[in-house]
């Protein structure tokens, strides 16, 4: 569903992503861990076609993103760190608009069903987004993924700034989508949440994927140690 | 995508109060400017009507006087004002040569605050010296007129700039652009649709506001053809500004930079280009001095006075028809004066021609370069629609000069035949009827404005593709 092959992005002399090869299949969640500037968001930007890779390829649902950018977006739902919707529209209206321009015509009943499934409380359906917390906006994003019957979910720091309860609810929603066969790639700093939701975990540093684990084969303390070791790798070398 | 953009754009505009604010602003601007225009037209009509009333009263007095003279009754009037003399009729009972306002005159003041709208050419007056200018306050000229054309040409683009400068940049700055761009849609098409929808809603507001204002303010001269032309010009001019906003949204970046770029375009197209073209026209084709013309006229008159007998003999030799029915062969001051007037006129013709030629060259130059600024095209077309363009006033001037000639020739037949003017001759006195030049270029202007807008939009589509390849959404 999601794959990259020797994906590289250079900004002048700086290499943001360096020969990245990864794969996320249906029903898998790959959490990419790494410090700021590790190349996680740049990878997501290339998967969305926002940035052209310097070399290598990124594929969504078997299609080269660079060559079939609009087509690949039919399979993708993207939730950035701060999901910004139209503040003067209600949750139902935002969902109707974004699903509509993506080509999904939804009845009023379907709109409320998707919002309900995404865990949004019913009394919030007709409220304007300007009154929503970040967690509530993320739920509208998940409802959009459900409405689009998405195959690929790209998440960029989705739990940063969420309180533990909202973060936990968000993790549960990801599990739901995973069980529906969605391939999920999540860039995050949150080791705990990564361990909770991921099927696979990768640690990136300086644009390279330094380590990769099957989530169930590693404990949280081991993950933390591996993460810190990777982060200190350069210092250790020197 | 269009259906959903259509469905939600109006909702977003209503909730952000844009529609309400724009409606209010448009109603106030159109209302005030139309009211101003109508007031000016009313004043013009009233001036013409008073002048015509004065002529009517003067004619009634003339006919009474003629009746008394013809019945041999004593009259209490100076001998030179008794209308049995054709020169008394020609000088003291002139016709009104009026330029009646067009039905759409309220739209644009144009040259109307510089030139007079009625003249009474006399038989002994100098055609070339007919004064067509009005006493006008320089302060008023400095600020111009707050007419409908001013609102359309100058203010409407500013409203469009405020309405469109941040269509894409606001999405970028609020963070919603990345969510939008992650949908299977083309961002340039999305921006295009948003702007076209805003153009549509603004067009609806402009059309409704204008119609409401015209009905409320009550133009007596409501003319559907004119209203359609006015709307055609306004909407095509608006489309050009939306097309410019489309390009700026795609190519510039932040809201602040977009706003500054659009304001700069406004300054260039609305203020600078017309001023530069006007200045260049004046520099390249300067108008001859009016003082010089009057000085030359005086010199020629002085010269003619010295040679009056010779001039009159030559004149009669050239016009034997004037002597055929004249048994008296009596010649007085006016015979010589009228003959020398003709000589003076002929001598001054080259100077008057230079003035007209320079005016034509200036107009030709401005017409050629008007396409560099849509503002000039629209202003000129609105002036044409209102009948207040330079060409309209030139046409009026020529028609008045032509009528003055007719008036003089009609009465000169009486003068040189020494035939007294009688009551029975009154119905055959010539009258002035002004006819406006046709508005043939308004349709062409609308077409060219639409083509320019189309070209700008096509350019945006053609070039923006390359920008997207460079990673428009990379930050």
């Amino acid at each position: 569903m999601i794959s990259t092959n020797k994906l590289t992005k250079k900004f002048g002399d700086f290499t943001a992503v360096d020969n990245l090869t990864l794969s996320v299949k249906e029903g898998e969640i790959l959490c990419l861990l790494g410090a700021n500037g590790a190349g996680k968001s740049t990878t997501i930007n290339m998967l969305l076609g926002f940035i052209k890779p310097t070399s290598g390829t990124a594929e969504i649902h078997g299609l080269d993103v660079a060559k079939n950018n609009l087509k690949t977006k039919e399979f993708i739902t993207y939730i950035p760190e701060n999901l910004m919707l139209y503040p003067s529209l209600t949750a139902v209206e935002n969902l109707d608009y974004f699903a509509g321009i993506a080509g999904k015509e939804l009845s009023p009943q379907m709109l409320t069903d998707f919002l309900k499934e995404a865990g949004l409380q019913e009394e919030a359906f007709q409220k304007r987004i300007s009154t929503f917390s970040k967690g509530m906006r993320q739920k509208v994003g998940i409802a959009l993924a459900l409405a689009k019957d998405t195959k690929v979910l790209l998440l960029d720091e989705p739990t940063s700034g969420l309180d533990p309860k909202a973060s936990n609810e968000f993790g549960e929603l990801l599990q739901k989508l995973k069980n529906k066969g969605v391939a999920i790639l999540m860039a995050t700093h949150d080791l705990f949440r990564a361990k909770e939701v991921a099927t696979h975990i990768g640690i990136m540093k300086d644009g390279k994927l330094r380590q990769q684990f099957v989530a169930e084969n590693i404990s949280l303390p081991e993950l933390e140690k591996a993460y810190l070791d990777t982060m200190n790798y350069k210092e250790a070398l020197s | 995508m269009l259906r959903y953009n259509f469905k939600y754009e109006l909702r977003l505009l209503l909730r952000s109060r844009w529609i309400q604010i724009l409606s209010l602003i448009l109603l106030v601007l159109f209302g005030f400017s139309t009211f101003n225009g109508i007031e000016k037209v009313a004043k013009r009509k009233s001036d013409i009507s008073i002048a015509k009333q004065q002529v009517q009263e003067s004619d009634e007095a003339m006919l009474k006087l003629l009746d008394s003279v013809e019945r041999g009754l004593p009259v209490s009037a100076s001998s030179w004002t008794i209308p049995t003399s054709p020169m008394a009729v020609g000088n003291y009972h002139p016709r009104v040569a009026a330029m009646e306002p067009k039905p759409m005159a309220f739209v644009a003041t144009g040259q109307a605050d510089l030139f007079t709208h009625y003249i009474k050419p006399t038989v002994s007056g100098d055609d070339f010296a007919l004064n067509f200018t009005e006493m006008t306050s320089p302060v008023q000229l400095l600020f111009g007129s707050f007419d409908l054309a001013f609102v359309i040409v100058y203010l409407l683009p500013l409203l469009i700039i405020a309405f469109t400068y941040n269509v894409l940049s606001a999405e970028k700055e609020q963070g919603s652009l990345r969510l939008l761009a992650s949908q299977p849609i083309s961002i340039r098409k999305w921006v295009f649709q948003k702007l076209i929808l805003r153009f549509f809603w603004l067009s609806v507001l402009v059309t409704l506001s204008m119609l409401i204002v015209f009905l409320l303010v009550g133009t007596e001269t409501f003319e559907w053809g004119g209203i359609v032309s006015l709307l055609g010009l306004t909407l095509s001019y608006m489309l050009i500004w939306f097309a410019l906003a489309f390009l700026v949204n795609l190519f510039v970046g932040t809201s602040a930079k977009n706003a500054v770029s659009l304001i700069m375009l406004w300054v260039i197209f609305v203020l600078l280009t017309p001023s530069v073209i006007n200045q260049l026209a004046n520099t390249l084709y300067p108008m001859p001095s009016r003082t010089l013309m009057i000085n030359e006229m005086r010199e020629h008159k002085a010269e003619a006075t010295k040679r009056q007998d010779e001039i009159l003999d030559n004149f009669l030799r050239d016009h034997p028809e004037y002597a055929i029915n004249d048994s008296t062969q009596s010649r007085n001051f006016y015979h010589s004066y009228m003959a020398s007037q003709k000589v003076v006129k002929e001598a001054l013709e080259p100077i008057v021609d230079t003035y007209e030629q320079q005016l034509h060259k200036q107009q030709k130059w401005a017409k050629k370069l008007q396409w560099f600024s849509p503002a000039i095209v629209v202003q000129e077309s609105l002036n044409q629609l209102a009948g207040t363009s330079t060409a309209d006033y030139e046409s009026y001037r020529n028609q008045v000069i032509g009528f003055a000639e007719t008036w003089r020739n009609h009465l000169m037949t009486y003068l040189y035949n020494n035939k007294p003017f009688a009551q029975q001759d009154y119905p055959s006195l010539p009258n002035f009827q002004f006819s406006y030049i046709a508005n043939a270029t308004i349709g062409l202007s609308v077409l060219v404005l639409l083509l320019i807008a189309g070209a700008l939009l096509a350019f945006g589509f053609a070039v923006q593709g390359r920008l997207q390849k460079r990673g428009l959404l990379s930050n």
Side-chain angles (χ1 to χ4, degrees):
Chain A
M1 276 292 173
I2 306 171
S3 67
T4 65
N5 183 26
K6 293 183 180 172
L7 191 66
T8 302
K9 181 66 193 178
K10 290 184 180 180
F11 295 106
D13 292 336
F14 175 69
T15 305
V17 176
D18 194 357
N19 275 302
L20 179 70
T21 299
L22 58 78
S23 164
V24 187
K25 297 190 177 64
E26 284 180 25
E28 287 184 354
I29 300 178
L30 169 63
C31 283
L32 285 179
L33 296 170
N36 290 334
K40 308 181 300 289
S41 296
T42 307
T43 304
I44 289 178
N45 280 341
M46 284 193 280
L47 286 166
L48 285 161
F50 290 174
I51 298 176
K52 303 290 170 202
T54 308
S55 63
T57 56
E59 288 188 357
I60 297 286
H61 207 60
L63 295 168
D64 188 331
V65 172
K67 291 176 185 160
N68 308 282
N69 192 214
L70 287 186
K71 185 70 187 165
T72 55
K73 284 177 185 170
E74 287 178 14
F75 307 110
I76 299 174
T77 295
Y78 166 60
I79 300 181
E81 183 178 352
N82 266 311
L83 178 65
M84 297 311 292
L85 300 154
Y86 289 113
S88 58
L89 295 182
T90 66
V92 169
E93 288 170 337
N94 266 292
L95 181 58
D96 184 36
Y97 178 69
F98 282 101
I101 62 168
K104 295 283 176 188
E105 200 170 322
L106 304 172
S107 66
Q109 184 60 50
M110 287 162 85
L111 289 168
T112 52
D113 287 349
F114 286 126
L115 287 169
K116 210 180 286 176
E117 197 179 341
L120 194 69
Q121 291 179 322
E122 274 187 55
E123 57 266 30
F125 289 1
Q126 298 300 339
K127 281 189 179 164
R128 291 192 186 184
I129 290 291
S130 54
T131 62
F132 278 27
S133 66
K134 180 180 171 181
M136 289 164 85
R137 293 202 307 271
Q138 304 281 37
K139 285 176 182 172
V140 178
I142 295 294
L144 179 61
L146 294 166
K148 280 176 76 176
D149 191 18
T150 200
K151 305 289 181 234
V152 170
L153 187 60
L154 299 174
L155 306 161
D156 195 356
E157 313 280 4
T159 55
S160 94
L162 288 186
D163 64 62
K165 184 171 173 286
S167 182
N168 184 53
E169 280 175 4
F170 190 75
E172 286 172 8
L173 286 171
L174 293 186
Q175 291 299 332
K176 252 193 209 178
L177 289 166
K178 183 193 84 171
N179 295 336
K180 283 179 176 253
V182 177
I184 302 172
L185 176 67
M186 178 163 97
T188 183
H189 298 292
D190 187 346
L191 272 66
F192 176 75
R193 193 55 54 202
K195 174 68 186 93
E196 282 284 306
V197 300
T199 57
H200 297 78
I201 298 169
I203 301 174
M204 286 186 78
K205 190 180 180 194
D206 300 331
K208 286 185 188 293
L209 185 62
R210 302 284 183 181
Q211 296 201 61
Q212 200 168 357
F213 311 98
V214 174
E216 60 184 18
N217 294 344
I218 189 167
S219 66
L220 185 60
E222 285 168 341
L223 177 63
E224 191 175 11
K225 185 174 182 308
Y227 180 80
L228 291 173
D229 285 348
T230 309
M231 293 304 114
N232 295 327
Y233 178 66
K234 210 173 187 177
E235 288 84 340
L237 277 182
S238 61
Chain B
M1 175 165 68
L2 181 61
R3 192 159 71 87
Y4 283 88
N5 274 335
F6 186 80
K7 184 175 171 183
Y8 283 104
E9 187 60 14
L10 180 63
R11 216 173 282 190
L12 285 166
L13 290 174
L14 281 168
R15 287 184 190 168
S16 59
R17 304 271 187 275
W18 256 114
I19 295 285
Q20 296 88 324
I21 291 166
L22 276 176
S23 306
L24 192 68
I25 291 174
L26 288 172
L27 278 171
V28 169
L29 290 178
F30 289 152
F32 184 57
S33 57
T34 305
F35 174 76
N36 263 349
I38 287 173
E39 285 292 296
K40 280 191 174 172
V41 174
K43 167 82 169 58
R44 180 172 159 184
K45 281 182 177 168
S46 154
D47 288 349
I48 292 172
S49 163
I50 290 170
K52 285 186 171 171
Q53 181 65 31
Q54 283 170 349
V55 166
Q56 199 182 335
E57 285 165 11
S58 153
D59 281 5
E60 281 166 11
M62 173 178 76
L63 289 169
K64 267 188 196 165
L65 209 53
L66 280 173
D67 184 56
S68 300
V69 172
E70 285 169 18
R71 284 197 284 145
L73 299 173
V75 289
S76 59
S78 311
S79 59
W80 61 88
T81 62
I82 295 174
T84 47
S85 156
M87 298 310 284
V89 177
N91 283 330
Y92 303 121
H93 304 282
R95 308 296 89 189
V96 177
M99 187 187 187
E100 296 283 354
K102 265 184 161 181
M104 300 296 287
F106 67 92
V107 169
T109 305
Q111 306 285 312
D113 51 359
L114 287 175
F115 296 111
T116 186
H117 298 99
Y118 73 89
I119 286 176
K120 296 176 184 173
T122 57
V123 76
S124 60
D126 304 313
D127 295 350
F128 41 80
L130 279 176
N131 191 7
F132 288 84
T133 52
E134 285 205 325
M135 293 289 281
T136 314
S137 155
V139 178
Q140 166 73 17
L141 288 177
L142 181 68
F143 291 111
S145 296
F146 196 96
D147 55 16
L148 203 52
F150 172 72
V151 172
I152 292 166
V153 175
Y154 289 79
L155 303 184
L156 203 50
L158 291 175
L159 286 180
I160 294 170
I161 290 170
F163 194 40
T164 57
Y165 77 100
N166 65 348
V167 165
L168 184 59
S169 56
E171 301 284 340
K172 250 184 189 174
E173 286 152 11
Q174 287 163 15
S176 45
L177 180 63
R178 289 172 73 80
L179 180 62
L180 267 175
S182 70
Q183 308 308 321
I185 56 167
S186 150
I187 288 298
R188 67 185 155 171
K189 264 189 203 161
W190 180 85
V191 176
F192 175 74
Q193 286 188 5
K194 290 276 273 193
L195 284 170
I196 287 297
L197 286 169
R198 288 191 179 201
F199 168 72
F200 171 76
W201 289 119
L202 188 61
S203 301
V204 169
L205 292 183
V206 163
T207 307
L208 287 179
S209 309
M210 271 192 192
L211 292 178
I212 290 170
V213 163
F214 293 164
L215 290 172
L216 283 181
V217 181
T219 60
E220 296 163 12
T221 51
F222 198 74
E223 187 202 51
W224 280 109
I227 302 280
V228 170
S229 298
L230 175 66
L231 285 172
L233 280 167
T234 309
L235 300 187
S236 49
Y237 182 57
M238 279 168 52
L239 189 61
I240 285 192
W241 284 101
F242 272 89
L244 288 171
F246 176 60
L247 295 180
V248 168
N249 267 284
L250 291 183
F251 296 134
V252 180
T254 63
S255 296
K257 282 182 183 172
N258 287 358
V260 171
S261 305
L262 282 165
I263 292 289
M264 274 174 64
L265 288 173
W266 182 84
V267 169
I268 290 169
F269 288 130
V270 178
L271 300 182
L272 279 183
T273 312
S275 301
V276 168
I277 291 175
N278 188 32
Q279 281 307 311
L280 282 175
N282 279 326
T283 310
L284 290 173
Y285 307 110
M287 295 300 272
S289 158
R290 191 174 173 81
T291 316
L292 180 77
M293 186 170 82
I294 289 171
N295 282 345
E296 289 228 15
M297 182 182 80
R298 284 179 183 154
E299 279 174 23
H300 282 287
K301 276 193 172 176
E303 181 62 27
T305 310
K306 288 180 199 159
R307 304 188 294 118
Q308 270 189 352
D309 289 343
E310 179 194 341
I311 290 169
L312 181 59
D313 285 347
N314 289 339
F315 178 77
L316 289 174
R317 205 173 300 127
D318 291 343
H319 298 277
E321 71 274 14
Y322 286 145
I324 291 170
N325 299 319
D326 176 25
S327 54
T328 65
Q329 292 297 313
S330 147
R331 299 288 176 249
N332 62 27
F333 163 76
Y334 272 122
H335 290 90
S336 307
Y337 180 84
M338 295 311 292
S340 56
Q341 273 295 86
K342 192 168 162 45
V343 171
V344 172
K345 190 185 169 192
E346 280 166 7
L348 283 176
E349 243 164 21
I351 297 175
V352 176
D353 283 351
T354 313
Y355 172 84
E356 297 217 336
Q357 280 164 13
Q358 292 298 83
L359 188 67
H360 279 139
K361 280 180 187 167
Q362 281 191 1
Q363 282 176 358
K364 214 174 155 187
W365 163 267
K367 219 175 175 60
K368 240 191 260 173
L369 297 186
Q370 67 172 340
W371 303 109
F372 282 102
S373 163
I376 305 177
V377 177
V378 176
Q379 179 70 63
E380 190 52 34
S381 301
L382 290 174
N383 287 351
Q384 273 185 36
L385 186 66
T388 55
S389 67
T390 311
D392 285 305
Y393 281 92
E394 196 198 346
S395 162
Y396 171 61
R397 201 169 69 88
N398 288 334
Q399 289 181 49
V400 173
I401 289 170
F403 173 72
E405 183 80 19
T406 308
W407 181 248
R408 180 181 306 113
N409 287 343
H410 184 81
L411 292 163
M412 266 172 63
T413 314
Y414 290 87
L415 175 73
Y416 282 97
N417 289 331
N418 287 321
K419 182 186 169 198
F421 189 79
Q423 281 187 85
Q424 63 188 33
D425 298 321
Y426 176 74
S428 63
L429 279 176
N431 277 305
F432 180 80
Q433 187 61 48
F434 178 65
S435 51
Y436 273 100
I437 49 175
N439 296 332
T441 59
I442 291 180
L444 177 72
S445 299
V446 171
L447 187 69
V448 172
L449 290 172
L450 290 176
L451 284 175
I452 293 172
L456 290 172
L457 292 171
F459 178 73
F461 271 103
V463 182
Q464 210 276 333
R466 267 185 258 154
L467 286 184
Q468 230 177 12
K469 278 179 199 157
R470 295 212 304 262
L472 179 69
L473 298 156
S474 54
N475 48 38

